[in-house]
Amino acid sequence: MLLLLLLLCALQPSVPLSLPTPPTKNYDVLIFGSGPTSLSLASLLTSSSSPPTVAIVSKDFSKPWIPNYGAWETEWSTISNSYDSKNVKNLSTLGVDHRWPDTSCYFNEGPPSESRVNVGASYIRVSRAGLKECFTDNKKYSVVEENHVARCVAPNVYEDGEAVVFDGEFTSFKLSGGTSISGKIIIDGTGAESTLTLRDKRENEGYQIAYGVEASVKGEGVGEDRVGDYERDKMTLFDYRIENFKEKDKVTNQPTFMYVMPLKSVNNSPRIFFEETSLVARPGVSFRACKSRLHERLKGMGVEVDEVFEEEFCYIPMGGEVARKGQRIVAVGAAGGLVHPSTGYQICRSLSCNLIVAEAIKEALDLKLKPDESAEFIYDKIWTEEQIKVRNFAVFGGEFLMTQNVEGLKGFFSGFFKLPYPMWHGFLAQWRTLPNSESHENWWRRMFFGVTFLTKIPPKTGLNMAKEIVLYTFKTKDLIQSVTPLFSGVEKFKESGRFRGETEGDVACKSEAREMIEESKGGEGGGR
């Protein structure tokens, strides 16, 4: 009998074990990424008396931040005061690693006494650990230490149809650890190489490449008040001199500069951060070339790296366009094109922009807007018509800089710092909530800046710029639109018309679109 029962059981069709699906966690706001942009926004959103529910989604949340961030002290002070008023404290103290009362540049060959230019503006190095502490101490947001698995191939279309699901109230995500999570408003703070959102004209981007090293130094060029030609009480923003290089022709045509932050001594040994940087180029300059030039430049000053504490490899895409219109997910920081297209500055622009983003998110939630309407509403607050024109002005600046050899860049920046402080600093800031940005707030101010600038730079550089202005104008109306009242209509996000009725949509059509997009990538003519 027992054998018969065992036989009958063996013949029964097997039934797969059904495991319960984990419940979906719902939040008002999901923020993907865990860099300064993401954490500062989460802190601003949850610092009020009745905050929305917010979750940071990032597997890297507990990891230290890697890049060295520098900023003008006037900008940092403005941001610190603004965050303090929003109950996000201590940016002015914990957030600062070092201060220099003045900033130097070197544009002319020869001894420092003849080539050094002091610009008369103080500079800070951001404390990565301290700033992160400002945004994580007593945090009121949740943290999910997993990553998204989505890859965007077209606006609101993803390779894996289950990775992101839209409905009328929420956007839901499948995460790398199996968690299911959803939010009313979704923020992409994952950086310039985001796979969550799209930016157009990526092929038009330039790249800032830099090799950096924080080290102690030795050698005959090291003194109590200087390291090589660099004064220890000043930060050096640009050193474009090429006299210490053997391959002068190569450096002339692929220019790089030294960026120097003298720090506190360790065991009576000067400690300093050096970074050899290609400001912007397409294609990017090699990291190995930057590293080799850094050591060759220092050797020519009688300085040798003694002990390396940290290396940095900096890669910053610049230019292109802002986030593509019609996307439900809101891209901020580098993911949204906020990097300065001419200089690579980002951190102050992102922290300052987040003051606008946080208020827009709260307003969208109060208005009970649908997810697509919320995204449209927030994007339109970030990228106003005038802010897009300001950015377009800087995009031309980046395009011009990529055409210049080292002599052209020396001429450009030597003239740049002869401008009145509000004009040159406003160009470097170029975000409407940062100090001196009013110098670029409308077309006639930008035109006045351009005309004044042409009177400050060497004639050869000025002629090159005039030629590039003409050529650029034939390619796009963006520059003319930025500095004249002509072609004034910039398409705003709320006018794009692509959000209407976009919820889950036709899943079959979207799946077909994903397949065809993938097929077209490998076919003749290709597809992005």
Side-chain angles (χ1 to χ4, degrees), residues 152 155-156 186-188 191-192 194 196-202 205 319-339 375 378-380 382-383 388 391 490-494 496 498-499 528:
C152 191
N156 303 326
I186 313 300
I187 302 295
D188 176 11
S194 171
L196 268 179
T197 53
L198 296 175
R199 286 180 291 121
D200 287 324
K201 298 187 178 179
R202 296 296 307 272
E205 290 176 343
E321 289 195 352
V322 300
R324 189 183 294 186
K325 296 176 178 66
Q327 297 184 96
R328 175 184 279 207
I329 298 174
V330 178
V332 296
L338 211 75
V339 174
I378 297 162
Y379 268 132
D380 208 51
I382 300 171
W383 294 110
I388 291 174
R391 187 181 186 277
V490 172
E491 184 187 32
K492 300 176 75 174
F493 280 85
K494 69 180 182 181
S496 66
R498 300 181 191 178
F499 286 101
R528 267 188 97 250

Side-chain angles (χ1 to χ4, degrees), residues 167-225:
D167 65 30
E169 299 296 330
F170 290 93
T171 305
S172 301
F173 294 83
K174 179 177 69 177
L175 302 182
S176 56
T179 300
S180 179
I181 194 168
S182 69
K184 296 177 182 177
I185 294 174
I186 313 300
I187 302 295
D188 176 11
T190 60
E193 301 304 312
S194 171
T195 61
L196 268 179
T197 53
L198 296 175
R199 286 180 291 121
D200 287 324
K201 298 187 178 179
R202 296 296 307 272
E203 69 278 7
N204 291 344
E205 290 176 343
Y207 303 94
Q208 184 169 118
I209 301 295
Y211 170 79
V213 58
E214 187 169 316
S216 60
V217 293
K218 61 183 181 180
E220 62 182 18
V222 178
E224 289 186 7
D225 60 349

Side-chain angles (χ1 to χ4, degrees), residues 410-429:
K410 287 178 181 179
F412 182 96
F413 284 109
S414 63
F416 183 81
F417 287 109
K418 290 175 184 174
L419 290 165
Y421 171 75
M423 291 181 73
W424 69 253
H425 180 254
F427 180 84
L428 296 181

Side-chain angles (χ1 to χ4, degrees), residues 93-162:
T93 52
L94 286 177
V96 176
D97 177 77
H98 201 96
R99 285 182 170 87
W100 297 271
D102 202 355
T103 305
S104 296
C105 298
Y106 298 81
F107 301 123
N108 301 312
E109 303 300 323
S113 59
E114 298 176 12
S115 59
R116 183 186 295 121
V117 175
N118 295 327
V119 303
S122 55
Y123 207 81
I124 65 132
R125 185 170 88 153
V126 176
S127 170
R128 293 165 293 183
L131 186 63
K132 189 168 185 178
E133 184 179 341
C134 292
F135 299 145
T136 55
D137 189 32
N138 298 319
K139 66 181 184 296
K140 299 178 183 177
Y141 51 85
S142 300
V143 177
V144 181
E145 295 197 53
E146 299 179 43
N147 286 338
H148 68 82
V149 295
R151 179 169 292 275
C152 191
V153 293
N156 303 326
V157 181
Y158 296 84
E159 280 184 343
D160 181 351
E162 296 180 355

Side-chain angles (χ1 to χ4, degrees), residues 57-76:
V57 183
S58 173
K59 195 173 183 179
D60 298 328
F61 176 82
S62 299
K63 293 182 180 179
W65 290 339
I66 295 173
N68 279 282
Y69 300 108
W72 299 100
E73 188 169 22
T74 52
E75 293 182 20
W76 196 257

Side-chain angles (χ1 to χ4, degrees), residues 321-371:
E321 289 195 352
V322 300
R324 189 183 294 186
K325 296 176 178 66
Q327 297 184 96
R328 175 184 279 207
I329 298 174
V330 178
V332 296
L338 211 75
V339 174
H340 194 295
S342 299
T343 66
Y345 277 120
Q346 179 196 341
I347 190 163
C348 285
R349 289 161 64 89
S350 291
L351 296 185
S352 187
C353 177
N354 275 350
L355 294 162
I356 298 169
V357 176
E359 292 304 314
I361 289 173
K362 291 175 184 176
E363 191 172 350
L365 290 170
D366 289 343
L367 292 171
K368 294 181 171 52
L369 299 179
K370 298 293 185 182

